[in-house]
PDB file of all heavy atoms in Angstrom:
ATOM      1  N   PRO A   1       0.820  -1.219   0.000  1.00  0.00           N
ATOM      2  CA  PRO A   1       0.000   0.000   0.000  1.00  0.00           C
ATOM      3  C   PRO A   1       0.849   1.261   0.000  1.00  0.00           C
ATOM      4  O   PRO A   1       2.009   1.255   0.418  1.00  0.00           O
ATOM      5  CB  PRO A   1      -0.810  -0.128   1.297  1.00  0.00           C
ATOM      6  CG  PRO A   1      -0.022  -1.037   2.177  1.00  0.00           C
ATOM      7  CD  PRO A   1       0.672  -1.983   1.252  1.00  0.00           C
ATOM      8  N   ILE A   2       0.240   2.335  -0.473  1.00  0.00           N
ATOM      9  CA  ILE A   2       0.876   3.657  -0.452  1.00  0.00           C
ATOM     10  C   ILE A   2       0.204   4.445   0.666  1.00  0.00           C
ATOM     11  O   ILE A   2      -1.007   4.698   0.620  1.00  0.00           O
ATOM     12  CB  ILE A   2       0.715   4.369  -1.806  1.00  0.00           C
ATOM     13  CG1 ILE A   2       1.316   3.503  -2.929  1.00  0.00           C
ATOM     14  CG2 ILE A   2       1.392   5.737  -1.767  1.00  0.00           C
ATOM     15  CD1 ILE A   2       1.004   4.009  -4.332  1.00  0.00           C
ATOM     16  N   TYR A   3       0.960   4.829   1.664  1.00  0.00           N
ATOM     17  CA  TYR A   3       0.379   5.502   2.821  1.00  0.00           C
ATOM     18  C   TYR A   3       0.059   6.961   2.494  1.00  0.00           C
ATOM     19  O   TYR A   3       0.699   7.585   1.643  1.00  0.00           O
ATOM     20  CB  TYR A   3       1.337   5.410   4.013  1.00  0.00           C
ATOM     21  CG  TYR A   3       1.750   4.003   4.352  1.00  0.00           C
ATOM     22  CD1 TYR A   3       3.084   3.675   4.607  1.00  0.00           C
ATOM     23  CD2 TYR A   3       0.813   2.974   4.398  1.00  0.00           C
ATOM     24  CE1 TYR A   3       3.472   2.381   4.902  1.00  0.00           C
ATOM     25  CE2 TYR A   3       1.189   1.665   4.685  1.00  0.00           C
ATOM     26  CZ  TYR A   3       2.521   1.371   4.930  1.00  0.00           C
ATOM     27  OH  TYR A   3       2.899   0.081   5.220  1.00  0.00           O
ATOM     28  N   ASP A   4      -0.928   7.506   3.199  1.00  0.00           N
ATOM     29  CA  ASP A   4      -1.333   8.886   2.990  1.00  0.00           C
ATOM     30  C   ASP A   4      -0.133   9.832   3.099  1.00  0.00           C
ATOM     31  O   ASP A   4       0.616   9.790   4.073  1.00  0.00           O
ATOM     32  CB  ASP A   4      -2.389   9.298   4.028  1.00  0.00           C
ATOM     33  CG  ASP A   4      -3.732   8.649   3.786  1.00  0.00           C
ATOM     34  OD1 ASP A   4      -3.894   8.018   2.729  1.00  0.00           O
ATOM     35  OD2 ASP A   4      -4.618   8.765   4.656  1.00  0.00           O
ATOM     36  N   GLY A   5       0.056  10.654   2.086  1.00  0.00           N
ATOM     37  CA  GLY A   5       1.126  11.641   2.100  1.00  0.00           C
ATOM     38  C   GLY A   5       2.493  11.099   1.737  1.00  0.00           C
ATOM     39  O   GLY A   5       3.484  11.842   1.765  1.00  0.00           O
ATOM     40  N   ALA A   6       2.562   9.813   1.389  1.00  0.00           N
ATOM     41  CA  ALA A   6       3.862   9.180   1.109  1.00  0.00           C
ATOM     42  C   ALA A   6       4.036   8.893  -0.376  1.00  0.00           C
ATOM     43  O   ALA A   6       3.061   8.758  -1.126  1.00  0.00           O
ATOM     44  CB  ALA A   6       3.990   7.887   1.905  1.00  0.00           C
ATOM     45  N   ASN A   7       5.287   8.777  -0.795  1.00  0.00           N
ATOM     46  CA  ASN A   7       5.588   8.310  -2.142  1.00  0.00           C
ATOM     47  C   ASN A   7       5.365   6.805  -2.209  1.00  0.00           C
ATOM     48  O   ASN A   7       5.460   6.100  -1.202  1.00  0.00           O
ATOM     49  CB  ASN A   7       7.050   8.594  -2.499  1.00  0.00           C
ATOM     50  CG  ASN A   7       7.389  10.063  -2.476  1.00  0.00           C
ATOM     51  OD1 ASN A   7       6.543  10.901  -2.776  1.00  0.00           O
ATOM     52  ND2 ASN A   7       8.622  10.381  -2.110  1.00  0.00           N
ATOM     53  N   SER A   8       5.114   6.306  -3.411  1.00  0.00           N
ATOM     54  CA  SER A   8       5.045   4.857  -3.589  1.00  0.00           C
ATOM     55  C   SER A   8       6.429   4.259  -3.349  1.00  0.00           C
ATOM     56  O   SER A   8       7.430   4.754  -3.869  1.00  0.00           O
ATOM     57  CB  SER A   8       4.582   4.511  -5.002  1.00  0.00           C
ATOM     58  OG  SER A   8       4.693   3.112  -5.222  1.00  0.00           O
ATOM     59  N   GLN A   9       6.470   3.194  -2.562  1.00  0.00           N
ATOM     60  CA  GLN A   9       7.727   2.489  -2.314  1.00  0.00           C
ATOM     61  C   GLN A   9       7.764   1.162  -3.058  1.00  0.00           C
ATOM     62  O   GLN A   9       8.632   0.318  -2.800  1.00  0.00           O
ATOM     63  CB  GLN A   9       7.909   2.272  -0.804  1.00  0.00           C
ATOM     64  CG  GLN A   9       7.983   3.566  -0.004  1.00  0.00           C
ATOM     65  CD  GLN A   9       9.102   4.465  -0.475  1.00  0.00           C
ATOM     66  OE1 GLN A   9      10.230   4.007  -0.690  1.00  0.00           O
ATOM     67  NE2 GLN A   9       8.813   5.758  -0.645  1.00  0.00           N
ATOM     68  N   ARG A  10       6.826   0.963  -3.973  1.00  0.00           N
ATOM     69  CA  ARG A  10       6.768  -0.289  -4.729  1.00  0.00           C
ATOM     70  C   ARG A  10       7.980  -0.431  -5.641  1.00  0.00           C
ATOM     71  O   ARG A  10       8.498   0.540  -6.178  1.00  0.00           O
ATOM     72  CB  ARG A  10       5.483  -0.341  -5.551  1.00  0.00           C
ATOM     73  CG  ARG A  10       4.224  -0.444  -4.701  1.00  0.00           C
ATOM     74  CD  ARG A  10       2.970  -0.302  -5.539  1.00  0.00           C
ATOM     75  NE  ARG A  10       1.769  -0.394  -4.707  1.00  0.00           N
ATOM     76  CZ  ARG A  10       0.547  -0.079  -5.109  1.00  0.00           C
ATOM     77  NH1 ARG A  10       0.365   0.356  -6.353  1.00  0.00           N
ATOM     78  NH2 ARG A  10      -0.476  -0.191  -4.282  1.00  0.00           N
ATOM     79  N   LEU A  11       8.392  -1.675  -5.819  1.00  0.00           N
ATOM     80  CA  LEU A  11       9.524  -1.972  -6.690  1.00  0.00           C
ATOM     81  C   LEU A  11       9.034  -2.593  -7.989  1.00  0.00           C
ATOM     82  O   LEU A  11       7.905  -3.068  -8.087  1.00  0.00           O
ATOM     83  CB  LEU A  11      10.472  -2.950  -5.989  1.00  0.00           C
ATOM     84  CG  LEU A  11      11.060  -2.515  -4.648  1.00  0.00           C
ATOM     85  CD1 LEU A  11      11.994  -3.589  -4.111  1.00  0.00           C
ATOM     86  CD2 LEU A  11      11.794  -1.184  -4.772  1.00  0.00           C
ATOM     87  N   THR A  12       9.907  -2.610  -8.994  1.00  0.00           N
ATOM     88  CA  THR A  12       9.633  -3.386 -10.200  1.00  0.00           C
ATOM     89  C   THR A  12       9.996  -4.842  -9.919  1.00  0.00           C
ATOM     90  O   THR A  12      10.682  -5.164  -8.937  1.00  0.00           O
ATOM     91  CB  THR A  12      10.468  -2.886 -11.379  1.00  0.00           C
ATOM     92  OG1 THR A  12      11.861  -3.162 -11.110  1.00  0.00           O
ATOM     93  CG2 THR A  12      10.275  -1.391 -11.599  1.00  0.00           C
ATOM     94  N   LEU A  13       9.543  -5.720 -10.799  1.00  0.00           N
ATOM     95  CA  LEU A  13       9.851  -7.139 -10.626  1.00  0.00           C
ATOM     96  C   LEU A  13      11.352  -7.372 -10.586  1.00  0.00           C
ATOM     97  O   LEU A  13      11.859  -8.092  -9.715  1.00  0.00           O
ATOM     98  CB  LEU A  13       9.219  -7.953 -11.761  1.00  0.00           C
ATOM     99  CG  LEU A  13       9.585  -9.450 -11.763  1.00  0.00           C
ATOM    100  CD1 LEU A  13       9.114 -10.134 -10.493  1.00  0.00           C
ATOM    101  CD2 LEU A  13       9.001 -10.134 -13.003  1.00  0.00           C
ATOM    102  N   HIS A  14      12.092  -6.764 -11.514  1.00  0.00           N
ATOM    103  CA  HIS A  14      13.526  -7.038 -11.568  1.00  0.00           C
ATOM    104  C   HIS A  14      14.273  -6.418 -10.391  1.00  0.00           C
ATOM    105  O   HIS A  14      15.289  -6.956  -9.945  1.00  0.00           O
ATOM    106  CB  HIS A  14      14.097  -6.592 -12.924  1.00  0.00           C
ATOM    107  CG  HIS A  14      13.835  -7.589 -14.007  1.00  0.00           C
ATOM    108  ND1 HIS A  14      14.744  -8.523 -14.408  1.00  0.00           N
ATOM    109  CD2 HIS A  14      12.709  -7.836 -14.733  1.00  0.00           C
ATOM    110  CE1 HIS A  14      14.225  -9.298 -15.358  1.00  0.00           C
ATOM    111  NE2 HIS A  14      12.984  -8.892 -15.569  1.00  0.00           N
ATOM    112  N   GLU A  15      13.781  -5.310  -9.867  1.00  0.00           N
ATOM    113  CA  GLU A  15      14.379  -4.753  -8.653  1.00  0.00           C
ATOM    114  C   GLU A  15      14.171  -5.704  -7.477  1.00  0.00           C
ATOM    115  O   GLU A  15      15.078  -5.914  -6.660  1.00  0.00           O
ATOM    116  CB  GLU A  15      13.764  -3.396  -8.338  1.00  0.00           C
ATOM    117  CG  GLU A  15      14.237  -2.282  -9.274  1.00  0.00           C
ATOM    118  CD  GLU A  15      13.427  -1.011  -9.108  1.00  0.00           C
ATOM    119  OE1 GLU A  15      12.295  -1.065  -8.591  1.00  0.00           O
ATOM    120  OE2 GLU A  15      13.936   0.071  -9.497  1.00  0.00           O
ATOM    121  N   ALA A  16      12.977  -6.290  -7.387  1.00  0.00           N
ATOM    122  CA  ALA A  16      12.707  -7.238  -6.304  1.00  0.00           C
ATOM    123  C   ALA A  16      13.550  -8.498  -6.456  1.00  0.00           C
ATOM    124  O   ALA A  16      14.099  -9.016  -5.472  1.00  0.00           O
ATOM    125  CB  ALA A  16      11.222  -7.588  -6.274  1.00  0.00           C
ATOM    126  N   LEU A  17      13.676  -9.002  -7.684  1.00  0.00           N
ATOM    127  CA  LEU A  17      14.513 -10.190  -7.907  1.00  0.00           C
ATOM    128  C   LEU A  17      15.970  -9.902  -7.540  1.00  0.00           C
ATOM    129  O   LEU A  17      16.653 -10.746  -6.956  1.00  0.00           O
ATOM    130  CB  LEU A  17      14.409 -10.646  -9.362  1.00  0.00           C
ATOM    131  CG  LEU A  17      13.062 -11.226  -9.800  1.00  0.00           C
ATOM    132  CD1 LEU A  17      13.078 -11.524 -11.289  1.00  0.00           C
ATOM    133  CD2 LEU A  17      12.712 -12.478  -8.997  1.00  0.00           C
ATOM    134  N   ALA A  18      16.447  -8.703  -7.878  1.00  0.00           N
ATOM    135  CA  ALA A  18      17.815  -8.331  -7.509  1.00  0.00           C
ATOM    136  C   ALA A  18      17.979  -8.315  -5.998  1.00  0.00           C
ATOM    137  O   ALA A  18      19.040  -8.685  -5.468  1.00  0.00           O
ATOM    138  CB  ALA A  18      18.166  -6.968  -8.094  1.00  0.00           C
ATOM    139  N   GLY A  19      16.917  -7.902  -5.279  1.00  0.00           N
ATOM    140  CA  GLY A  19      16.985  -7.873  -3.818  1.00  0.00           C
ATOM    141  C   GLY A  19      17.221  -9.225  -3.200  1.00  0.00           C
ATOM    142  O   GLY A  19      17.760  -9.327  -2.091  1.00  0.00           O
ATOM    143  N   TYR A  20      16.839 -10.287  -3.914  1.00  0.00           N
ATOM    144  CA  TYR A  20      17.024 -11.659  -3.423  1.00  0.00           C
ATOM    145  C   TYR A  20      18.214 -12.366  -4.073  1.00  0.00           C
ATOM    146  O   TYR A  20      18.459 -13.542  -3.787  1.00  0.00           O
ATOM    147  CB  TYR A  20      15.759 -12.483  -3.695  1.00  0.00           C
ATOM    148  CG  TYR A  20      14.620 -12.199  -2.756  1.00  0.00           C
ATOM    149  CD1 TYR A  20      13.541 -11.407  -3.147  1.00  0.00           C
ATOM    150  CD2 TYR A  20      14.591 -12.744  -1.476  1.00  0.00           C
ATOM    151  CE1 TYR A  20      12.483 -11.162  -2.291  1.00  0.00           C
ATOM    152  CE2 TYR A  20      13.536 -12.507  -0.611  1.00  0.00           C
ATOM    153  CZ  TYR A  20      12.476 -11.713  -1.030  1.00  0.00           C
ATOM    154  OH  TYR A  20      11.434 -11.476  -0.176  1.00  0.00           O
ATOM    155  N   THR A  21      18.926 -11.665  -4.969  1.00  0.00           N
ATOM    156  CA  THR A  21      20.024 -12.335  -5.683  1.00  0.00           C
ATOM    157  C   THR A  21      21.289 -11.474  -5.663  1.00  0.00           C
ATOM    158  O   THR A  21      22.109 -11.603  -4.761  1.00  0.00           O
ATOM    159  CB  THR A  21      19.599 -12.672  -7.130  1.00  0.00           C
ATOM    160  OG1 THR A  21      19.132 -11.476  -7.787  1.00  0.00           O
ATOM    161  CG2 THR A  21      18.510 -13.725  -7.147  1.00  0.00           C
ATOM    162  N   THR A  22      21.426 -10.574  -6.618  1.00  0.00           N
ATOM    163  CA  THR A  22      22.666  -9.802  -6.729  1.00  0.00           C
ATOM    164  C   THR A  22      22.903  -8.920  -5.507  1.00  0.00           C
ATOM    165  O   THR A  22      24.030  -8.810  -5.024  1.00  0.00           O
ATOM    166  CB  THR A  22      22.637  -8.927  -7.999  1.00  0.00           C
ATOM    167  OG1 THR A  22      21.413  -8.182  -8.047  1.00  0.00           O
ATOM    168  CG2 THR A  22      22.734  -9.789  -9.245  1.00  0.00           C
ATOM    169  N   ALA A  23      21.856  -8.283  -5.005  1.00  0.00           N
ATOM    170  CA  ALA A  23      22.030  -7.428  -3.830  1.00  0.00           C
ATOM    171  C   ALA A  23      22.383  -8.250  -2.599  1.00  0.00           C
ATOM    172  O   ALA A  23      23.205  -7.833  -1.780  1.00  0.00           O
ATOM    173  CB  ALA A  23      20.753  -6.617  -3.580  1.00  0.00           C
ATOM    174  N   GLY A  24      21.763  -9.418  -2.478  1.00  0.00           N
ATOM    175  CA  GLY A  24      22.098 -10.291  -1.360  1.00  0.00           C
ATOM    176  C   GLY A  24      23.549 -10.727  -1.386  1.00  0.00           C
ATOM    177  O   GLY A  24      24.217 -10.778  -0.348  1.00  0.00           O
ATOM    178  N   ALA A  25      24.046 -11.041  -2.582  1.00  0.00           N
ATOM    179  CA  ALA A  25      25.454 -11.434  -2.702  1.00  0.00           C
ATOM    180  C   ALA A  25      26.372 -10.263  -2.367  1.00  0.00           C
ATOM    181  O   ALA A  25      27.406 -10.446  -1.696  1.00  0.00           O
ATOM    182  CB  ALA A  25      25.725 -11.944  -4.114  1.00  0.00           C
ATOM    183  N   TYR A  26      26.010  -9.073  -2.819  1.00  0.00           N
ATOM    184  CA  TYR A  26      26.812  -7.891  -2.492  1.00  0.00           C
ATOM    185  C   TYR A  26      26.892  -7.707  -0.980  1.00  0.00           C
ATOM    186  O   TYR A  26      27.966  -7.450  -0.430  1.00  0.00           O
ATOM    187  CB  TYR A  26      26.217  -6.644  -3.151  1.00  0.00           C
ATOM    188  CG  TYR A  26      26.927  -5.373  -2.767  1.00  0.00           C
ATOM    189  CD1 TYR A  26      28.067  -4.952  -3.455  1.00  0.00           C
ATOM    190  CD2 TYR A  26      26.494  -4.599  -1.682  1.00  0.00           C
ATOM    191  CE1 TYR A  26      28.741  -3.797  -3.083  1.00  0.00           C
ATOM    192  CE2 TYR A  26      27.168  -3.442  -1.306  1.00  0.00           C
ATOM    193  CZ  TYR A  26      28.288  -3.051  -2.002  1.00  0.00           C
ATOM    194  OH  TYR A  26      28.969  -1.917  -1.622  1.00  0.00           O
ATOM    195  N   ALA A  27      25.769  -7.826  -0.309  1.00  0.00           N
ATOM    196  CA  ALA A  27      25.747  -7.624   1.141  1.00  0.00           C
ATOM    197  C   ALA A  27      26.599  -8.637   1.876  1.00  0.00           C
ATOM    198  O   ALA A  27      27.082  -8.370   2.976  1.00  0.00           O
ATOM    199  CB  ALA A  27      24.302  -7.685   1.646  1.00  0.00           C
ATOM    200  N   GLU A  28      26.807  -9.794   1.273  1.00  0.00           N
ATOM    201  CA  GLU A  28      27.635 -10.856   1.868  1.00  0.00           C
ATOM    202  C   GLU A  28      29.113 -10.758   1.491  1.00  0.00           C
ATOM    203  O   GLU A  28      29.906 -11.593   1.942  1.00  0.00           O
ATOM    204  CB  GLU A  28      27.175 -12.233   1.357  1.00  0.00           C
ATOM    205  CG  GLU A  28      25.927 -12.782   1.942  1.00  0.00           C
ATOM    206  CD  GLU A  28      25.739 -14.227   1.495  1.00  0.00           C
ATOM    207  OE1 GLU A  28      26.612 -14.786   0.803  1.00  0.00           O
ATOM    208  OE2 GLU A  28      24.726 -14.803   1.848  1.00  0.00           O
ATOM    209  N   HIS A  29      29.476  -9.842   0.624  1.00  0.00           N
ATOM    210  CA  HIS A  29      30.829  -9.811   0.034  1.00  0.00           C
ATOM    211  C   HIS A  29      31.087 -11.057  -0.813  1.00  0.00           C
ATOM    212  O   HIS A  29      32.225 -11.519  -0.933  1.00  0.00           O
ATOM    213  CB  HIS A  29      31.918  -9.730   1.125  1.00  0.00           C
ATOM    214  CG  HIS A  29      32.023  -8.407   1.804  1.00  0.00           C
ATOM    215  ND1 HIS A  29      31.310  -8.087   2.934  1.00  0.00           N
ATOM    216  CD2 HIS A  29      32.777  -7.314   1.522  1.00  0.00           C
ATOM    217  CE1 HIS A  29      31.624  -6.863   3.331  1.00  0.00           C
ATOM    218  NE2 HIS A  29      32.499  -6.364   2.489  1.00  0.00           N
ATOM    219  N   THR A  30      30.039 -11.629  -1.414  1.00  0.00           N
ATOM    220  CA  THR A  30      30.231 -12.820  -2.255  1.00  0.00           C
ATOM    221  C   THR A  30      29.786 -12.567  -3.687  1.00  0.00           C
ATOM    222  O   THR A  30      29.534 -13.507  -4.449  1.00  0.00           O
ATOM    223  CB  THR A  30      29.469 -14.040  -1.687  1.00  0.00           C
ATOM    224  OG1 THR A  30      28.067 -13.708  -1.580  1.00  0.00           O
ATOM    225  CG2 THR A  30      30.003 -14.439  -0.325  1.00  0.00           C
ATOM    226  N   ASP A  31      29.697 -11.292  -4.079  1.00  0.00           N
ATOM    227  CA  ASP A  31      29.198 -10.970  -5.407  1.00  0.00           C
ATOM    228  C   ASP A  31      30.180 -11.320  -6.514  1.00  0.00           C
ATOM    229  O   ASP A  31      29.840 -11.195  -7.695  1.00  0.00           O
ATOM    230  CB  ASP A  31      28.805  -9.488  -5.499  1.00  0.00           C
ATOM    231  CG  ASP A  31      29.845  -8.549  -4.907  1.00  0.00           C
ATOM    232  OD1 ASP A  31      30.395  -8.881  -3.845  1.00  0.00           O
ATOM    233  OD2 ASP A  31      30.100  -7.476  -5.493  1.00  0.00           O
ATOM    234  N   ASP A  32      31.373 -11.791  -6.170  1.00  0.00           N
ATOM    235  CA  ASP A  32      32.319 -12.242  -7.189  1.00  0.00           C
ATOM    236  C   ASP A  32      32.096 -13.708  -7.554  1.00  0.00           C
ATOM    237  O   ASP A  32      32.763 -14.235  -8.449  1.00  0.00           O
ATOM    238  CB  ASP A  32      33.761 -12.048  -6.707  1.00  0.00           C
ATOM    239  CG  ASP A  32      34.087 -12.848  -5.464  1.00  0.00           C
ATOM    240  OD1 ASP A  32      33.151 -13.286  -4.749  1.00  0.00           O
ATOM    241  OD2 ASP A  32      35.293 -13.031  -5.178  1.00  0.00           O
ATOM    242  N   ARG A  33      31.141 -14.371  -6.906  1.00  0.00           N
ATOM    243  CA  ARG A  33      30.916 -15.796  -7.162  1.00  0.00           C
ATOM    244  C   ARG A  33      29.474 -16.247  -6.910  1.00  0.00           C
ATOM    245  O   ARG A  33      29.171 -17.442  -6.964  1.00  0.00           O
ATOM    246  CB  ARG A  33      31.865 -16.647  -6.311  1.00  0.00           C
ATOM    247  CG  ARG A  33      31.724 -16.423  -4.804  1.00  0.00           C
ATOM    248  CD  ARG A  33      32.894 -17.048  -4.069  1.00  0.00           C
ATOM    249  NE  ARG A  33      32.829 -16.922  -2.616  1.00  0.00           N
ATOM    250  CZ  ARG A  33      33.183 -15.842  -1.936  1.00  0.00           C
ATOM    251  NH1 ARG A  33      33.655 -14.784  -2.572  1.00  0.00           N
ATOM    252  NH2 ARG A  33      33.114 -15.811  -0.624  1.00  0.00           N
ATOM    253  N   LYS A  34      28.591 -15.329  -6.627  1.00  0.00           N
ATOM    254  CA  LYS A  34      27.232 -15.701  -6.240  1.00  0.00           C
ATOM    255  C   LYS A  34      26.264 -14.610  -6.670  1.00  0.00           C
ATOM    256  O   LYS A  34      26.639 -13.456  -6.840  1.00  0.00           O
ATOM    257  CB  LYS A  34      27.172 -15.881  -4.712  1.00  0.00           C
ATOM    258  CG  LYS A  34      25.921 -16.564  -4.187  1.00  0.00           C
ATOM    259  CD  LYS A  34      25.826 -16.446  -2.669  1.00  0.00           C
ATOM    260  CE  LYS A  34      26.866 -17.234  -1.935  1.00  0.00           C
ATOM    261  NZ  LYS A  34      26.621 -17.196  -0.461  1.00  0.00           N
ATOM    262  N   GLY A  35      25.002 -14.987  -6.843  1.00  0.00           N
ATOM    263  CA  GLY A  35      23.960 -14.010  -7.149  1.00  0.00           C
ATOM    264  C   GLY A  35      23.646 -13.871  -8.626  1.00  0.00           C
ATOM    265  O   GLY A  35      22.702 -13.173  -9.002  1.00  0.00           O
ATOM    266  N   MET A  36      24.453 -14.500  -9.500  1.00  0.00           N
ATOM    267  CA  MET A  36      24.214 -14.474 -10.948  1.00  0.00           C
ATOM    268  C   MET A  36      24.394 -15.877 -11.513  1.00  0.00           C
ATOM    269  O   MET A  36      25.094 -16.714 -10.932  1.00  0.00           O
ATOM    270  CB  MET A  36      25.221 -13.564 -11.662  1.00  0.00           C
ATOM    271  CG  MET A  36      25.226 -12.125 -11.254  1.00  0.00           C
ATOM    272  SD  MET A  36      26.458 -11.221 -12.258  1.00  0.00           S
ATOM    273  CE  MET A  36      26.548  -9.687 -11.337  1.00  0.00           C
TER     274      MET A  36
END
């Protein structure tokens, strides 16, 4: 939902997929071998 007075915080599909893959690997310092 978009709260009253707030910007939409919705993501695109590929942004959400990145949140579970490439971004997760980056956060782990494993993006040189994981997430793709």
Side-chain angles (χ1 to χ4, degrees):
I2 302 170
Y3 305 134
D4 288 351
N7 299 328
S8 172
Q9 299 302 314
R10 293 172 180 168
L11 302 181
T12 67
L13 174 61
H14 280 263
E15 286 169 339
L17 291 175
Y20 284 102
T21 54
T22 50
Y26 175 85
E28 284 189 4
H29 287 90
T30 58
D31 46 319
D32 62 342
R33 59 193 182 279
K34 193 191 291 186
M36 300 182 193

